Amino acid sequence: MCSLASFLAIEGTNFGTILASKPKSLSSSSMMSSQAHLNCKMHFYPRKRAGVSVAVSVSVSASVEIDGGNSMPVSGLVFQPFEEVKNEAFVAPVAPQVSIARQRFTDECEAAINEQINVEYNNSYVYHAMFAYFDRDNIALKGLAKFFKDSSEEERTHAEMLMEYQNMRGGRVKLHSIMNPPSEFDNAEKGDALYAMELALSLEKLTNEKLLSLHKVADRCNDPQLADFIESKFLDEQVEAIKKISDYVSQLRRVGKGHGVWHFDQSLLLEGEAAV
């Protein structure tokens, strides 16, 4: 080992040159009262040169002390939140009728969500009418009645999820009119069970199409949060519902309008009990 002075003489190292070569980003107009500090660290390890075992590792680090005394690394970009929040886009509105939470949520997305709420409520209304039909004493297909009642409640739950999301984003929920559903579902050719199940399949496919349209609106308006909400909460479940009801339609087409419908109805009851 040797002294630092001897080492510098041997290596001919100019540390002033090393320090001067660091970027001069320490003095910036955005850091008016800041102070810059340079730290130099030297580490020795064995190395033979001219019969002397010497080595050095030099590291230079820079930090900036901003007004309050907090040290932070210099990266060429200093985040100044108290300056940036002065932007009008981040100021909370004071008007009583204006949402405080709303941010990057377009009127088009708000309107599309309200339309989807109406779709879900219409489906729920139709399924509730189907429940009432199959629960009659002269129909008495309790499995189908329970299936459509559960479907009605599920659609209403979807509508409420969309309403909660609308409020979360700072939109306004506007409920539209709901069409009167039919009260009779008997069909001379297909029978009531198959006719109602095919209608349910058509409604689920229509709902899926409406959800995809809502997703397109979110993409067009550059709203990834809304797009993610539709994908994670609705799309997978919708595809699964289409497959499930498609299976039911196929089974009902096989059994016809006779005694097989009763057995199919009993299977729905057993499925419901198993799910519980």
Side-chain angles (χ1 to χ4, degrees), residues 36-236:
H37 301 281
L38 291 175
N39 297 320
C40 179
K41 296 181 181 180
M42 300 178 61
H43 305 281
F44 291 90
Y45 56 90
R47 175 182 159 204
K48 289 190 176 181
R49 182 183 176 110
V52 181
S53 177
V54 295
V56 66
S57 171
V58 181
S59 64
V60 180
S61 62
S63 66
V64 178
E65 191 173 299
I66 306 292
D67 297 333
N70 297 323
S71 295
M72 59 181 293
V74 176
S75 62
L77 176 64
V78 178
F79 176 51
Q80 295 179 310
F82 293 104
E83 289 298 320
E84 296 190 26
V85 294
K86 293 178 182 178
N87 188 309
E88 242 180 70
F90 306 128
V91 177
V94 295
Q97 298 301 320
V98 178
S99 169
I100 300 175
R102 188 165 186 147
Q103 183 184 23
R104 293 185 177 274
F105 188 55
T106 65
D107 292 341
E108 187 178 0
C109 288
E110 180 181 353
I113 290 174
N114 282 330
E115 289 179 10
Q116 188 64 36
I117 292 172
N118 184 255
V119 169
E120 303 290 344
Y121 269 130
N122 269 286
N123 288 351
S124 177
Y125 213 30
V126 174
Y127 286 145
H128 223 169
M130 290 180 178
F131 152 71
Y133 172 83
F134 287 103
D135 192 53
R136 289 182 195 171
D137 64 286
N138 59 334
I139 305 298
L141 292 173
K142 300 298 183 180
L144 284 162
K146 184 180 185 308
F147 172 76
F148 287 123
K149 182 180 180 182
D150 292 343
S151 298
S152 176
E153 292 174 353
E154 183 179 4
E155 297 300 319
R156 188 171 68 251
T157 299
H158 289 170
E160 290 173 356
M161 288 170 61
L162 288 163
M163 294 169 74
E164 290 172 358
Y165 181 84
Q166 184 85 290
N167 287 334
M168 182 177 68
R169 293 296 302 274
R172 288 290 183 90
V173 174
K174 294 182 180 180
L175 297 179
H176 305 311
S177 299
I178 299 178
M179 297 292 294
N180 293 331
S183 57
E184 301 294 330
F185 295 93
D186 193 17
N187 183 276
E189 179 185 352
K190 299 179 180 180
D192 49 9
L194 177 58
Y195 175 76
M197 198 62 73
E198 287 184 345
L199 177 57
L201 178 60
S202 298
L203 286 173
E204 294 298 330
K205 288 184 175 180
L206 175 62
T207 301
N208 189 51
E209 195 68 30
K210 295 293 186 180
L211 286 169
L212 294 175
S213 296
L214 177 57
H215 191 277
K216 287 180 182 178
V217 171
D219 285 340
R220 185 167 63 249
C221 295
N222 193 25
D223 194 331
Q225 214 286 327
L226 175 57
D228 178 70
F229 174 72
I230 298 302
E231 291 173 9
S232 60
K233 301 295 185 181
F234 292 93
L235 293 185
D236 284 349

Side-chain angles (χ1 to χ4, degrees), residues 24-34 64 74 76 78 80:
K24 297 182 179 180
S25 60
L26 299 176
S27 59
S28 170
S29 59
S30 63
M31 299 180 281
M32 294 182 289
S33 59
S34 304
V64 178
V74 176
V78 178
Q80 295 179 310

Side-chain angles (χ1 to χ4, degrees), residues 147 244 248 251 266-276:
F147 172 76
K244 181 179 181 179
Y248 290 163
Q251 292 167 10
Q266 292 301 301
S267 71
L268 288 182
L269 281 177
L270 291 174
E271 282 184 15
E273 292 173 1
V276 174

